[in-house]
Amino acid sequence: MDVASINPILPDGQPKETKSLVEESLAKLVKSIVAEENHHTEHEKDEPFLVADMGEVYRQHDRWKRCLPRVTPFYAVKCNPDKEVLRLLALLGTGFDCSSRKEMDMVLNLGVEPEQIIYAQPCKHSSHLRFARRHGIRKMTFDGEDELYKIKELYPGARLLLRIATDDSSSRCPFSAKFGAPLDTTHFLLRIARDLDLDIVGVSFHIGSGATDPKLFVKALQDSLTVFEQARDCGYTPNLLDVGGGFSVESFDAMSQILREALDRHFPSNVHVIAEPGRYFAATAFTVACKIIARREILKEGGEPHFMLTLNDGVYGSFMDCYLSHWERQPRILQCASKEVLSRAIRYTIWGPTCDGIDRIVENATLDRLLGVGDWLFFPDMGAYSLCLSTSFNGFSSERTVHYIASEPAARALLDYEAIEGSDI
Ligand code: PLP
């Protein structure tokens, strides 16, 4: 990936408001692309690109510390393993939730201590488990009997958290059909762990990604308390609670308040609490810019204008999560040849570039300009489960150029962005 640095500080030394800074950066980048195209270069620059604002990650971390001071975040690397995001979070002192050898390796290579990593994958490859052992990554989750035998054989010194099933019905991406021990099996599993002389240190759960009902934390905490008691009954002294991910940017204040109060009600202060937020840190930091590569008008009864637009990015690229979680993203206009603002908005259906009929980003977008081939759109809040799910289906590249900015001077200073060569803005 191409790392570009943009100076986010205004001449008077004041940091810019993040949204305007991102939009200004997008505009500059598109301008330079369009200028090149006008010179008819051999390789048209019609690939999608992203602008990533590390200031947003910094502020989300700050907000977390204020709202959930008792809970240590272990960032879910799977959500967006972008090197700059990982680097900033490591500098800020978060832990990391890793699911595979590669994720553990990436985080270790940043100098993160093994104690700051949780191997939060209840179904582990044996080779990845051996890797965790070699590097002293002891914290890990399990939710079934056979996993205990595997761990006994390959890493008997591991510190185990029993992942329990939760009600994840309010989430966009539920997990409980696949992960989490039902409550009527947990005592049994703990007794097996005791018989195998394994170390149980606590409980973990996940209320589902993109969760909307914060009250589900309360039920999950009550269930965790039950499992803590069962663990004590088996002779353990559990002191670690992992409340998983599922934190949304929009409802974080309400969510964190409910979680904070429930934690204080149910768990004494000697219980160490961690979480595995992914979306919360990554979502708002990345904006995707896409070019319109084709247009077709649909003639409907009633004569309302309706166009189909095809972009250079789609469901098999940055928008896979939008498809999987039925979450349509509304575009905004970045660059449009027509300057006329229409009094009546036009309806657009927006597609990705592949030949697959499911490659639809938005069914109904209404925008107040007549858009055409060569114009650019942008989609904010695209940092979660976007780049990491991008494929090269149909021969379209899964690689994306990311241009990094830092609207927060503290983040910029931490990342030492001025030392990065190659600013193209
Ligand atoms: N922890 C685990 C075990 C997960 O599987 C996931 C998402 O898949 C997360 C944390 C992150 O969830 P979110 O991005 O909703 O915070």
Side-chain angles (χ1 to χ4, degrees):
M1 271 176 197
D2 193 25
V3 178
S5 71
I6 300 170
N7 188 341
I9 308 294
L10 289 167
D12 63 3
Q14 294 303 307
K16 285 188 181 179
E17 203 263 311
T18 178
K19 295 291 178 224
S20 64
L21 180 65
V22 169
E23 285 177 34
E24 189 179 305
S25 308
L26 288 164
K28 279 187 190 170
L29 288 158
V30 160
K31 203 168 158 197
S32 74
I33 289 170
V34 173
E36 267 193 49
E37 279 176 354
N38 290 342
H39 286 101
H40 300 291
T41 51
E42 190 177 332
H43 301 286
E44 255 193 86
K45 283 202 171 178
D46 51 8
E47 297 298 327
F49 66 88
L50 293 96
V51 168
D53 181 6
M54 293 301 111
E56 196 57 24
V57 178
Y58 185 95
R59 280 188 293 279
Q60 284 295 85
H61 182 259
D62 218 44
R63 188 180 177 198
W64 184 285
K65 280 195 303 183
R66 272 184 283 111
C67 294
L68 285 175
R70 192 179 160 185
V71 184
T72 309
F74 277 54
Y75 173 65
V77 176
K78 61 182 82 67
C79 176
N80 184 339
D82 178 89
K83 187 106 189 285
E84 295 297 298
V85 172
L86 299 183
R87 201 157 71 87
L88 176 56
L89 289 172
L91 289 166
L92 291 170
T94 72
F96 293 89
D97 149 17
C98 298
S99 317
S100 63
R101 175 174 44 204
K102 186 163 179 193
E103 288 184 358
M104 290 186 269
D105 200 30
M106 280 170 76
V107 172
L108 287 170
N109 281 332
L110 290 170
V112 173
E113 296 297 327
E115 295 76 45
Q116 289 289 93
I117 298 175
I118 180 165
Y119 184 7
Q121 164 57 288
C123 306
K124 292 171 267 306
H125 285 61
S126 297
S127 55
H128 299 202
L129 190 50
R130 286 194 193 92
F131 178 92
R133 179 180 182 166
R134 185 152 58 84
H135 292 277
I137 297 168
R138 294 179 68 196
K139 276 194 283 296
M140 59 187 70
T141 59
F142 77 102
D143 62 5
E145 182 179 351
D146 286 350
E147 198 70 4
L148 287 174
Y149 299 128
K150 190 199 290 173
I151 293 168
K152 174 70 183 174
E153 186 193 338
L154 300 175
Y155 196 176
R159 305 179 68 212
L160 305 179
L161 291 93
L162 175 48
R163 178 155 168 186
I164 58 170
T166 56
D167 178 354
D168 55 8
S169 54
S170 86
S171 68
R172 288 187 183 277
C173 181
F175 299 124
S176 286
K178 183 173 181 191
F179 296 116
L183 227 56
D184 57 0
T185 64
T186 48
H187 210 163
F188 165 77
L189 289 171
L190 291 166
R191 279 195 290 260
I192 292 186
R194 184 197 53 203
D195 293 346
L196 292 171
D197 201 21
L198 291 170
D199 189 11
I200 300 283
V201 296
V203 172
S204 86
F205 61 79
H206 197 305
I207 62 164
S209 195
T212 53
D213 183 1
K215 288 192 289 302
L216 295 181
F217 272 121
V218 178
K219 172 76 172 90
L221 286 183
Q222 285 162 349
D223 289 349
S224 302
L225 197 60
T226 304
V227 180
F228 263 58
E229 277 156 18
Q230 292 172 346
R232 281 190 209 102
D233 181 58
C234 292
Y236 292 111
T237 46
N239 65 355
L240 184 58
L241 176 68
D242 176 356
V243 299
F247 299 88
S248 81
V249 178
E250 302 78 25
S251 52
F252 184 67
D253 292 346
M255 245 180 193
S256 57
Q257 188 184 347
I258 286 182
L259 177 59
R260 203 172 51 235
E261 288 170 3
L263 279 171
D264 289 344
R265 202 163 43 247
H266 295 301
F267 288 89
S269 57
N270 64 342
V271 173
H272 182 47
V273 187
I274 66 173
E276 300 167 1
R279 281 184 202 281
Y280 170 82
F281 279 114
T284 49
F286 287 65
T287 300
V288 177
C290 311
K291 183 177 167 181
I292 299 168
I293 59 166
R295 186 181 80 174
R296 199 176 97 201
E297 185 165 10
I298 309 173
L299 296 172
K300 281 261 166 77
E301 284 165 35
E304 286 294 310
H306 179 187
F307 290 92
M308 300 216 291
L309 303 177
T310 303
L311 305 187
N312 55 359
D313 202 351
V315 161
Y316 289 93
S318 310
F319 296 87
M320 176 67 87
D321 181 56
C322 309
Y323 175 77
L324 295 175
S325 54
H326 312 288
W327 194 350
E328 286 201 339
R329 300 310 179 97
Q330 289 300 323
R332 294 179 51 198
I333 296 171
L334 174 53
Q335 209 262 172
C336 177
S338 163
K339 300 296 168 221
E340 188 191 351
V341 178
L342 304 168
S343 54
R344 194 144 175 209
I346 297 183
R347 180 177 161 208
Y348 296 98
T349 300
I350 301 180
W351 302 85
T354 70
C355 293
D356 195 332
I358 68 156
D359 192 1
R360 188 178 65 205
I361 302 172
V362 195
E363 188 174 4
N364 267 315
T366 46
L367 294 162
D368 61 4
R369 303 266 203 103
L370 179 61
L371 293 156
V373 174
D375 292 339
W376 285 76
L377 299 174
F378 71 100
F379 295 79
D381 303 340
M382 285 291 298
Y385 307 102
S386 50
L387 296 183
C388 54
L389 295 182
S390 184
T391 76
S392 54
F393 176 54
N394 257 195
F396 298 107
S397 176
S398 60
E399 294 293 312
R400 297 285 181 273
T401 301
V402 182
H403 300 272
Y404 296 93
I405 61 174
S407 56
E408 180 70 46
R412 183 159 157 261
L414 270 177
L415 292 168
D416 197 12
Y417 265 14
E418 272 162 341
I420 298 173
E421 297 287 318
S423 166
D424 56 2
I425 308 260

